[in-house]
Amino acid sequence: MATRGATHWLVMVAMVLMAACLSAATGELFTALADMEELLETEAVLIANLDNYVQAQEEKLLQLRRKVQEYRREHAEAARDVSTYLSNPVNAFLLTKRLTTDWRYVENLMTYEVGKEFLENVTSYRSVLKFPSDEDLNGAAVALMRLQDTYNLDTASVARGVLDGVQYSTELSAGDCFELGRQSYLNGDYYHTVLWMREAMDRLTQEVNRTAMKEDVLEYLAFSTFKQGNIQTALSMTEELLELVPNHERAVSNKAYYVKELEKETHHKVLRGDDGSAEVPVDVNTIYKGDNSPHVYDRTERKLYEQLCRGEQQLSIELRSKLVCRYTTNRSAFLRIAPLKLEEAYLRPYIVIYHDVMSDWEIERIKQYARPRFRRATVQNYKTGELEFANYRISKSAWLKDTEDEMIRAISLRVEDMTGLTMETAEELQVVNYGIGGHYEPHFDFARREERNAFKSLGTGNRIATVLFYMSNVTQGGATVFPSLHMALWPRKGTAAFWYNLHASGYGDYSTRHAACPVLTGTKWVSNKWIHERGQEFLRPCELLPDHPADRFE
C-alpha cells in the first residue's frame, strides 16, 4: 500500500492546534499517568485560546451580517422606485459611498485574518506546556490494543466506552476508530487494523456525509485483510472502493494484483492475526524453560498470563487451605512492640503480603519526590548488561536515596524488619507509575547464570529478594501475576509483597517469574526495594541440603 498523503477531516480543531506543536513534544507521556495529568492543563489552555479565537470570528461575522442587512435594506428601498431613489442626491451619494469606502472596509474585514494572534499563542505554548508526540499517540493506541487482547474486550464495546462491562467514557466516533486502525497499520498490526477499520465502517453508517472517509477506510481495510491472507475479501472490498472512486489509482493496481494472487493460490487463507500455522493446543501447566531472553515468552505462558490478569485462574482449594494470616515479629526487637500483619500468598516459593506497612502520608511524600525525576523505565539487556527501553515495560520510574529524607530511610529500616535482611547492599527505592495500559511482561528480578554482566557495576551480587509496595488501589487490572504458580496478587494501597528470587544455595528460583498486568482503569503506583546477596551470608545461610531442583542446573 502506498504512503498516504491525504489529510483526514476527522481531526478536530483542537487536535490541529496540538499537531502544530509535535516537533517540540517531549515524548513518552503515555508511559506514566502522572505525566498524562499535565496534558489536561495543556488542553485547558488550548480550549481557552480556541474559545477566544471563536469569539473573534463570531464578532467578525456579526459585523459582516450587520453590513449585509444594511445593504439589503437600502437596496430593497431603491429597487421599489429606482428613479425616485437616485433622484435624491443624498441617496446617490450613499450608494456611491457604499460601493467605494464602505465596500473597501467590508473587503478588508472579509480578508482580515481573525485569530492570527491566537495561532501565534499556540506556537509560544510549545516552550512552556507539555504536548503529546506522535510516539505518545501511537503508544496510547497500542495500549488500547494491549488491553483489548489481555482482557478480551469486544471492539464494539470499547468503542462505546465500555471496559469490561463498565461504562467509563463517551463513545468513539468513526474518525476515532479510524485513527486507532491507522495507528495499528503503522505498526504492521493488521489484525487490529481490521478490527478497528470494521468498527469505523459500522459507525459510518450512522453518520452522514462521510463518503470520502469511507474510501480511506475501505483502502486500509482491504490491504490489511490481504496482509492477513484473505485475498478474496480484500478483492471484494477493493471492488467496492472502485465503485465509489472508479479512477482510484492504488485500488486499480491492487485489484489487478489480488486477481493475480488468487489465480496462483486459490485455497490459501491465513488465520486472522496469525502467521498461517495451525492452532496448537496450549498446555497451561507448562512453565518458562527458555534459554533465550528472559523477557521472551511463548504462547502457552502468554495465555496463562492473560488468564491470571483476568482473574480466571486461582490457586487450588488444597493450596489455599494451607495459607494463614498472622502477626509476626520476624525476630525483630522493634516488631515485638508493633508486630506486622502477614498474609501468606504461597508456600514454595514463600511469598507473603504485609498489610498496612506504608501510610498515606508516606505515599504522597514519595510521589512528590518521584514526580520531577520520572524517566521512562528501562530493562537490562541480558547479553550486554546495558539499560534500554522496551515495549514490554511501559512505565516511568525514579530512584530515591535513603539520605534524601528520614522518611525514606525509615522505609528501608522497615524493610529490614519485614525481611530480616540487611539494606546495606540493597538498591535505592524505585518508584514506578504505570502509563496508559501500563504493564511489565513476564520477567525475572534476578540475573540468570548466562547474564554475567548484570549488576556487575554494583558489586553486590545477585538480587536475592524483592519487596514490592503497592501505593495505590487500581480500579481494574494491574495485578502482579506468577504464571508458573497460577497466582495473582491484586494491588491494595499500603500493602507490600515479599519473596525470595534466589534459593538459599544462590541459584535462581525460576518459579518467581512474574509480570505486571496492564492497568485497565485507574492508576497504579508502586515502589520496590531490590535486595542483593552481599551481606546476607549469615542472615540467610545455605541449608544442609539443596533447596532447589537439582536437574535445573546439571
Side-chain angles (χ1 to χ4, degrees), residues 394-429:
I394 301 301
S395 61
K396 281 192 174 179
S397 62
W399 299 85
L400 306 182
K401 300 177 185 295
D402 286 357
T403 55
E404 296 182 51
D405 192 295
E406 186 59 34
M407 177 266 300
I408 300 173
R409 173 61 180 164
I411 289 174
S412 289
L413 293 175
R414 195 173 307 152
V415 173
E416 279 195 355
D417 289 334
M418 291 163 56
T419 63
L421 301 173
T422 180
M423 295 297 106
E424 292 300 317
T425 55
E427 296 178 42
E428 297 167 2
L429 183 70

Side-chain angles (χ1 to χ4, degrees), residues 294-330:
H295 301 289
V296 174
Y297 60 116
D298 60 19
R299 292 175 59 189
T300 299
E301 189 178 26
R302 175 177 287 275
K303 180 176 180 178
L304 185 53
Y305 157 65
E306 293 179 349
Q307 288 175 339
L308 287 164
C309 289
R310 295 192 295 267
E312 296 173 358
Q313 288 271 337
Q314 61 179 347
L315 296 179
S316 67
I317 295 177
E318 181 183 0
L319 288 174
R320 280 183 285 160
S321 66
K322 298 176 182 178
L323 304 175
V324 300
C325 295
R326 66 174 185 273
Y327 284 98
T328 182
T329 61
N330 289 341

Side-chain angles (χ1 to χ4, degrees), residues 435-474:
I436 305 172
H439 72 139
Y440 192 179
E441 291 182 355
H443 61 281
F444 303 106
D445 279 353
F446 66 89
R448 300 179 301 161
R449 298 180 71 185
E450 57 269 30
E451 299 173 73
R452 301 185 183 280
N453 293 316
F455 316 127
K456 185 176 181 180
S457 60
L458 298 178
T460 53
N462 211 342
R463 286 174 176 165
I464 190 174
T466 296
V467 173
L468 177 64
F469 290 96
Y470 293 108
M471 297 168 56
S472 66
N473 297 314
V474 179

